Amino acid sequence: MAFARFSMISVKQGSEPMPTTTATFDDTAINALDKVLIRSLDARAGFQTLVEKAEPEFRPVAEEFLALHTSHAERLSILLKRRGLEPETDGSFMAKINEGVVSIRALVDEIDEDVMDNIRSGETFIASAFKEAIDAVPVASREHGDLIAMKVDLDTLLARTSHLD
C-alpha cells in the first residue's frame, strides 16, 4: 500500500479515511505533501510569535505572512484528508525553535523590517518544499493545481514585501 510509510510518519492513528480523488499518489508525492505541510505549520508557529513581538509598524506584514501560512496549512491538510489521511497538526520541533528565536530576538532587538532578510531566507525552504510537491504530484490531479496556486500566493507575498529588505 502506497500510504503505509506515510502513515508511520505523520498520520494520526485511528482516523477514518476520507474518499480519495482519482489520480494515484506514490510515496514520493505523499511525503512531499507532508513536508510542505510541516514547513507551513512550522512557519505559522514562528509567525504567531512574530506577530506578538513585532513593532506596531511591522505587525501588518507579520500578520500577512501568518495568514498565508495558516491558510496554506489548512489547505494542505484538506489535500491530505482527500487522500484518506489524517495530516499532522503541530509541525516539527523546528516550530519550537522558530518561536524561541523570535522571542530571544525580541529581547535584544526590535522585530521590524530588519528581520525581512531572515524571513525571506526561511521562506525559501517553504518555496522549495512547494516545488518538490508540485514536481511529485501527478499533473492531472486537482492537488497539482492547488499546490501551484499556493506557491504563487507565497511568491506574490514575497514580491510585494521585497521593498522591506
Side-chain angles (χ1 to χ4, degrees):
M1 181 172 168
F3 304 110
R5 191 171 58 151
F6 179 77
S7 65
M8 294 172 21
I9 295 172
S10 68
V11 176
K12 293 181 181 175
Q13 298 299 321
S15 62
E16 292 293 321
M18 294 180 68
T20 61
T21 55
T22 56
T24 303
F25 282 22
D26 61 13
D27 286 349
T28 301
I30 295 296
N31 289 334
L33 284 171
D34 188 49
K35 181 178 182 178
V36 73
L37 171 61
I38 289 171
R39 287 193 179 168
S40 294
L41 290 168
D42 290 351
R44 182 185 69 188
F47 279 104
Q48 286 170 333
T49 303
L50 193 70
V51 165
E52 293 170 16
K53 308 288 184 184
E55 295 297 315
E57 65 276 1
F58 186 69
R59 189 167 290 124
V61 174
E63 288 171 340
E64 278 190 86
F65 277 94
L66 173 59
L68 179 76
H69 291 300
T70 298
S71 170
H72 285 179
E74 290 169 359
R75 291 165 67 187
L76 290 161
S77 292
I78 290 168
L79 297 183
L80 288 165
K81 285 178 183 179
R82 266 194 242 143
R83 294 287 164 180
L85 302 167
E86 185 61 33
E88 180 65 47
T89 57
D90 298 325
S92 71
F93 183 67
M94 278 304 296
K96 301 299 178 210
I97 292 172
N98 288 344
E99 292 170 21
V101 167
V102 170
S103 294
I104 290 169
R105 172 130 188 198
L107 292 173
V108 298
D109 198 4
E110 294 179 342
I111 302 295
D112 57 16
E113 62 273 352
D114 292 338
V115 301
M116 278 308 296
D117 285 339
N118 293 342
I119 289 171
R120 200 165 302 288
S121 174
E123 296 299 312
T124 62
F125 292 105
I126 299 165
S128 71
F130 269 112
K131 173 100 172 68
E132 287 175 33
I134 290 165
D135 291 345
V137 169
V139 174
S141 70
R142 175 178 171 184
E143 292 86 350
H144 190 264
D146 292 341
L147 289 165
I148 290 171
M150 286 184 263
K151 172 89 169 50
V152 168
D153 291 343
L154 177 59
D155 292 343
T156 301
L157 181 55
L158 289 169
R160 206 172 66 240
T161 58
S162 65
H163 68 283
L164 298 173
D165 285 348

